[in-house]
């Protein structure tokens, strides 16, 4: 924090950071809340009556208090929230004491979620911009006006000119429905926050061993003998997760090694803190492997039987001797040797990473290097081992799994013709009708079916608007943008975003809060705000970072004139004329699709990752019996869920009737597949360059195939003589798909999976993980210097990529890196999270209990740098970036950051280049705390595989304001 507090009194100026009436005042919590117009006892519940927004209060006559179980809507730990509801009003909350995840704990954000639902700063009714002012309108007006404009754009420019940006705040059912909606509209220009947080994880990890997700769990860290954490700060970003890390640290004496350019609150718990230069993760990991290989500490038998391509890794690692690693990373060789020895001597160890490792132009190389480290140590497929990837938002894992992405349908099926055929069967839809919804683009004498082309990722939507039409790989520019549950200030290049928002024909925001999208632009017309509910006003499933699904109960009915997200989707489907098709197997009550029917529909289609066994009934049973689940193994001991793993973490194979328990630890061959065991996925073929890609003589417990094997097909069942195990109904379903060519992913009966598991085989095969990914730009992960680097001596040795066009947009690499910005912008700028806020901060900065904790946007500067630049602690400074933007923030002079490095949190918005935008919010909906966004000065840069944005390593200059 920028100011010390003594006896609850905040010391120091607050210029511009609170409501203008509060500027420069000194006050304690009570004064802050009173002056902000908030009652000390908390905000009253609100409802809409007779067309007016009024406060609601609990009945003085009392009434039965009902407890509802929900899940916190912030990070991905999945903490249970127990809400106390009286007469329809949410009057209190407690953490879930029985939850295996949060064990009766809450962080500051979780403890205040009631205010998130009841907050007076929420959008209360639909609004549109008229003459530069926000005006209230009805839902009918909003849907009709927006729909008419979209249909006009579709007619003039095609369906790809409307961009549908979804949200990690959707539950699973809404995520699935949103991706289906985009398909029925006819575009793959659909995406969500995963693109800019963990897309490089999903791509890197999935292409290493088959699935792109956390392999173990927060709870399984209890079994770890060592914890290697890089690019993450769970003490602030996932506070409750720290309970699980500290349990291993205390009970197992597990050394905690934290690698980070910044000494974080997590680093304060570390046994070994490794400070390294931002953007040099691959060099750091290869430096560790140099010591591991040099001393023969690798697990040779694990590598021989379960890993492909490690010899290629060895050749690259040979280059990374201690001297070169120190030159690139700044880490002394002796320290890395000590860390490598610690990891070798304390197995199994787990590797944890967050966005510090992913948000780089080199992000896919980083995540694959982390995976290779674990493969070399033999730490995969074991309790206490694995790669524990801490996702950000509460359902970013689920929204990714359900396909709110520009490059896939639900379940990571991709966009190939067979993928669309599969989902058309699930939807019972005419495939030719679906094809007719998409554009066919004729360019350079060739026809391209846009149905099979990746869309523009959210990280690049502004280029879809601003780039010259002839440079785009789609028929026309983006003309309408729907930001549905998305904070625009979480993205870089905000000045260009402002320009893009102003160029659009139509801008639509769907959110419980107006977000920075309401104020960043200077539009006069053609902008709409639609109030969605929070997740506490609906029900449905949500997937925690460990792949477990939990069912939220509806806590209260929708407040104000807000609507649940899936109802809004249905209203747009009505307008566009495909409701009957889209909801043919989903019941609708009033205007609201039945959530459980949506769950059952994706259960019928998501065979790839085992989202098929988690019926609503099974998930609700788990929530009702949380106390039956072991807090480490997550397996139920007795009771109605006996043997199940909490939340049925995917894959939960087969149909719900199979009662597969879920898979706690991916790739663990010590268990039968029927009990949650697994092999590495045979996703990449059976042979490459004459070398076997299947597992060599190892297999999961009780497997009837005693070696590696490919993925299962009907033909394979026939060859094995196991096809007789199929029922007549299963065989008929298989024959209706593709007969002998039907595989475990496309069999809608689940028969192929059921029979494979009956013989204790993994439906997806038994293969080796691959340390080299031959279909990526860098098959072996390489260190490449950031685009904006002040280490010009390293550019020649470790250059970036050539410029190229992919994901429909031109993308710059070498043309930026070849310019030297370091003389004018000498400081490396990185960014990250605070414990008080989350994401773009609109929800949490609108929560008075959180807003009071951090009232100013700031930049952390090392004391030596501060003294050299004449910067004083607590004073205003200008931070400028090499692309021309600048922001005005408070200086925090601290040794948390090393010399030459500065840090800013990314939760702030509502100021732009020194200008306060508070008066542009709809009346009464401005967050209590506003501030500059670090992403205004963050710069261009995108991962070479996924178009992940670079937010962790750019350059800046800092000067007194």
């Amino acid at each position: 924090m920028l100011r010390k507090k003594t006896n609850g009194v905040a010391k120091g100026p607050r210029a511009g950071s609170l409501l203008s009436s509060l500027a420069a005042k000194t006050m304690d919590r009570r004064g802050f809340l009173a002056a902000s117009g908030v009652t000390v006892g908390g905000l009253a519940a609100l409802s809409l009556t007779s067309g007016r927004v009024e406060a609601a209060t609990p009945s003085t006559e009392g009434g039965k208090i009902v407890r509802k179980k929900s899940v916190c809507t912030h990070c991905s730990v999945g903490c249970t929230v127990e809400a106390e509801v009286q007469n329809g009003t949410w009057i209190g909350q407690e953490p879930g004491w029985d939850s295996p995840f949060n064990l009766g704990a809450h962080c500051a954000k979780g403890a205040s979620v009631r205010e998130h639902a009841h907050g007076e700063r929420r959008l209360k009714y639909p609004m549109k911009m008229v003459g530069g002012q926000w005006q209230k309108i009805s839902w009918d007006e909003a849907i009709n006006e927006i729909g008419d404009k979209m249909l006009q754009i579709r007619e003039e420019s095609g369906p790809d000119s409307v961009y549908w940006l979804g949200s990690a705040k959707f539950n699973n059912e809404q995520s699935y429905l949103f991706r289906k909606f985009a398909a029925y509209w006819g575009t793959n220009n659909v995406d969500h926050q995963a693109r800019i947080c963990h897309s490089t994880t999903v791509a890197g990890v999935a292409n290493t061993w088959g699935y792109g997700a956390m392999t173990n769990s927060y709870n399984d860290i209890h079994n770890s003998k060592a914890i290697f954490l890089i690019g993450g700060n769970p003490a602030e970003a996932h506070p409750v997760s720290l309970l699980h890390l500290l349990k291993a640290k205390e009970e197992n004496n597990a050394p905690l090694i934290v690698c980070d350019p910044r000494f974080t609150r997590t680093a304060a718990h570390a046994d070994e803190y490794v400070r390294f230069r931002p953007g040099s993760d691959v060099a750091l990991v290869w430096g560790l492997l140099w010591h591991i290989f040099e001393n023969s500490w690798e697990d040779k038998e694990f590598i021989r039987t379960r890993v492909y391509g490690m010899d290629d890794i060895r050749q690259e690692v040979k280059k990374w001797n201690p001297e070169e690693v120190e030159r690139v990373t700044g880490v002394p060789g002796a320290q890395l040797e000590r860390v490598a020895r610690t990891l070798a001597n304390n197995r199994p160890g787990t590797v944890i990473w967050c966005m510090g490792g992913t948000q780089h132009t080199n992000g896919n190389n980083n995540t694959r290097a982390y995976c290779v480290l674990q493969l070399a140590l033999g730490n995969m497929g074991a309790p206490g081992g694995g790669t524990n990837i801490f996702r950000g938002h509460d359902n970013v894992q689920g929204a990714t799994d359900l396909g709110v992405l520009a490059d896939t349908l639900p379940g990571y099926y991709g966009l190939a013709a067979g993928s669309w055929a599969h989902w058309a069967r699930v939807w019972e839809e005419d495939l030719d009708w679906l094809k007719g919804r998409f554009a066919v683009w004729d360019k350079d004498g060739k026809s391209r079916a846009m149905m099979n082309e990746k869309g523009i990722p959210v990280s690049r939507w502004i280029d879809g608007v601003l780039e010259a039409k002839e440079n785009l790989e789609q028929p026309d520019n983006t003309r309408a943008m729907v930001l549905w549950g998305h904070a625009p200030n979480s993205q870089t290049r905000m000045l260009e975003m402002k320009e893009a928002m102003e160029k659009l024909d139509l801008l639509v925001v769907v959110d419980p809060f107006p977000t920075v999208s309401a104020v960043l632009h200077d539009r006069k017309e053609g902008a709409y705000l639609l109030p969605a509910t929070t997740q506490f006003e609906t029900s449905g499933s949500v997937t925690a970072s460990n792949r477990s699904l939990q069912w939220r109960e509806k806590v209260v009915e929708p407040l104000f004139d807000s609507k649940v997200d899936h109802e809004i989707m249905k209203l747009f489907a009505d307008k566009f004329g495909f409701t009957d098709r889209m909801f043919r197997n989903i019941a609708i009550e009033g205007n609201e699709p039945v959530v459980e029917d949506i769950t059952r529909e994706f259960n019928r289609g998501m065979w790839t990752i085992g989202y098929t066994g988690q019926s609503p009934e099974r998930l609700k049973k788990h929530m009702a019996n949380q106390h039956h689940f072991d807090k480490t193994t997550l397996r139920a001991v007795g009771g109605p869920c006996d043997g199940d793993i909490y939340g049925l973490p995917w894959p939960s194979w087969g149909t719900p009737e199979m009662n597969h328990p879920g898979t706690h630890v991916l790739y663990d061959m010590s268990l039968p597949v029927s009990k949650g065991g697994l092999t590495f996925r045979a996703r990449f073929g059976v042979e490459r360059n004459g070398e076997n890609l299947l597992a060599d003589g190892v297999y999961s417990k009780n497997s009837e195939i005693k070696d590696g094997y490919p993925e299962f097909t009907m033909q394979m069942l026939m060859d094995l003589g196991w096809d007789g195990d199929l029922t007549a109904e299963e065989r008929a379903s298989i024959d209706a798909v593709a007969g002998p060519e039907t595989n475990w992913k496309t069999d809608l009966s689940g028969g192929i999976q059921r029979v494979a598991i009956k013989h204790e085989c993994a439906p997806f095969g038994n293969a080796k993980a691959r340390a080299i990914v031959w279909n990526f730009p860098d098959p072996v992960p390489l260190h490449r210097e950031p685009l904006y680097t002040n280490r010009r001596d390293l550019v020649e040795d470790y250059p970036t990529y050539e410029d190229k066009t992919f994901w429909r947009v031109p993308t710059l690499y070498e043309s930026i890196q070849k310019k030297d910005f370091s003389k004018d912008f000498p400081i490396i700028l990185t960014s990250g999270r605070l414990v008080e806020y989350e994401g773009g901060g609109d929800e949490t900065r609108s929560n008075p209990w959180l807003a009071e904790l951090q009232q100013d946007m700031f930049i952390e500067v090392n004391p030596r740098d501060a003294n050299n630049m004449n910067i004083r602690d607590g004073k205003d400074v200008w931070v400028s970036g090499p692309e021309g933007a600048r922001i005005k923030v408070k200086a925090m002079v601290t040794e948390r950051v090393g010399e030459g490095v500065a840090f800013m949190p990314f939760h702030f918005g509502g100021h732009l280049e020194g200008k306060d935008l508070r008066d542009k919010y709809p009346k009464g909906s401005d967050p209590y705390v506003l501030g500059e966004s670090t992403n205004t000065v963050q710069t261009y840069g995108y991962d070479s595989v996924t178009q992940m944005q670079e937010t962790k390593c750019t350059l800046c200059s800092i000067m007194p304001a």
Side-chain angles (χ1 to χ4, degrees), residues 706-765:
K706 309 297 185 183
D707 204 351
Y709 49 88
E711 64 178 359
F712 274 78
T713 63
M714 178 61 178
Q715 184 65 57
M716 186 169 165
L717 290 186
M718 295 163 63
D719 293 343
L720 290 167
W722 295 352
D723 57 310
D725 293 332
L726 293 167
T727 67
E729 292 79 8
E730 289 169 342
R731 187 178 289 272
S733 177
I734 291 167
D735 288 341
V737 175
E741 295 181 5
T742 306
N743 66 35
W744 64 283
K745 304 185 293 289
T746 57
D747 166 22
L748 298 188
S749 74
I752 293 175
Q753 290 195 9
R754 184 185 64 78
V755 172
I757 293 171
K758 178 181 179 181
H759 296 272
E760 292 299 356
C761 294
F764 63 25

Side-chain angles (χ1 to χ4, degrees), residues 60 88 152 168 197 381 422 500 544 632 651 731 741 769 850:
T60 56
Q152 177 190 340
C197 62
H422 169 74
T632 296
R731 187 178 289 272
E741 295 181 5
L850 298 172

